[in-house]
Amino acid sequence: MSLEDDLTEVKRRLEELARSVIQLERNLVRQREGQPVPMAVGRPDGLVTISDTPYDSSLWTDSDDEGLGARDRRAP
């Protein structure tokens, strides 16, 4: 992508964010007034559903704790 394309995409996303904030503010006012708040329909692009089921613990066997180093060694 060119710089111009990148800037156009940023502008589009900022406008989308501004519209979302305005809608959120309207929903909050409605909620405070006791009016029904419309629910969002559909799912925005880029969102991924993450399951609540636990991961298989064998996935983490022999893994280091990120940022803490290996379990069997001391930090310098």
Side-chain angles (χ1 to χ4, degrees), residues 9-75:
E9 179 68 14
V10 168
K11 182 179 177 185
R12 185 186 68 76
R13 289 183 182 246
L14 284 172
E15 290 170 350
E16 184 178 312
L17 176 62
R19 283 191 303 272
S20 296
V21 169
I22 290 168
Q23 186 62 44
L24 177 60
E25 289 171 340
R26 288 178 183 157
N27 288 347
L28 287 173
V29 169
R30 286 183 186 137
Q31 188 175 24
R32 286 184 188 138
E33 294 173 349
Q35 297 177 11
V37 177
M39 298 300 291
V41 177
R43 181 188 320 223
D45 293 338
L47 290 182
V48 176
T49 301
I50 299 175
S51 173
D52 288 337
T53 58
Y55 288 106
D56 180 9
S57 61
S58 67
L59 292 172
W60 314 120
T61 303
D62 297 329
S63 66
D64 293 338
D65 292 324
E66 185 175 335
L68 299 177
R71 293 181 192 156
D72 58 344
R73 295 189 300 255
R74 288 184 32 181

